[in-house]
Amino acid sequence: MADLRDLYQEVIVDHSKSPRNFHPLAEASHHAEGFNPLCGDRLTLYLKVQNGIIENASFVGAGCAISTSSASLMTEQLKGKTIAEAETIFQDFHRFLTQESGTGVEEARLGKLAILGGVREYPSRVKCATLAWHTLHAALQGQAAPVSTEQDQ
Ligand code: ZN
């Protein structure tokens, strides 16, 4: 874990200290809870979806810098996306974090999310980074039970 510092780049620190869209959403049409027992990260995600478009996204919860900044970056990125686009970003992001570097998903397509690429070196941290996205998937599927990173691997 020598280069843990690399994980905490400026943007990650910024988003973890001042998470964007960090509040419940009264007009939410979808919500889901996510839990990463390996790290203790917990979050509730709220979405307002209308006509297949994610008009608003927010979250509350408590977790490590990686999970919080990932959720913060995700909620920023989701606004204005269709459900299909959101699922595509999730798949790209998941592949980006779990596969060996240089085998497919272009960083450019992920935009700011590529900042989290440093967690690739740390398998347990990948779950911190993808927790918000698994929770998004559950929310869009209308899944009632809380999602755990230990159930869907
Ligand atoms: Zn974590």
Side-chain angles (χ1 to χ4, degrees):
M1 302 293 268
D3 271 329
L4 249 185
R5 262 184 319 173
D6 290 349
L7 295 176
Y8 297 86
Q9 295 169 39
E10 205 175 320
V11 176
I12 294 176
V13 172
D14 176 39
H15 276 265
S16 64
K17 284 188 175 165
S18 316
R20 316 304 195 265
N21 310 303
F22 191 68
H23 53 77
L25 199 62
E27 75 268 27
S29 57
H30 296 62
H31 75 277
E33 289 172 39
F35 179 47
N36 173 16
L38 286 184
C39 183
D41 309 314
R42 229 174 242 289
L43 64 85
T44 304
L45 178 72
Y46 301 92
L47 301 171
K48 183 190 176 194
V49 181
Q50 206 157 34
N51 300 323
I53 293 174
I54 299 171
E55 294 193 339
N56 209 348
S58 71
F59 75 107
V60 296
C64 67
I66 298 295
S67 68
T68 303
S69 58
S70 179
S72 174
L73 287 162
M74 183 186 81
T75 53
E76 273 196 327
Q77 191 130 126
L78 288 179
K79 290 183 194 181
K81 296 284 193 296
T82 66
I83 290 173
E85 284 168 341
E87 294 280 10
T88 300
I89 298 169
F90 169 49
Q91 283 159 20
D92 282 352
F93 184 57
H94 196 264
R95 274 211 306 275
F96 176 67
L97 291 184
T98 52
Q99 73 190 177
E100 298 301 307
S101 52
T103 51
V105 180
E106 307 149 44
E107 297 200 9
R109 244 168 75 196
L110 289 169
K112 266 193 192 173
L113 296 175
I115 288 159
L116 292 158
V119 303
R120 229 194 250 119
E121 315 293 321
Y122 311 96
S124 64
R125 287 303 183 129
V126 167
K127 292 177 179 176
C128 300
T130 56
L131 174 64
W133 291 87
H134 286 296
T135 309
L136 166 71
H137 184 70
L140 291 174
Q141 302 290 314
Q143 186 179 316
V147 57
S148 167
T149 52
E150 294 311 287
Q151 286 161 5
D152 51 19
Q153 291 300 303

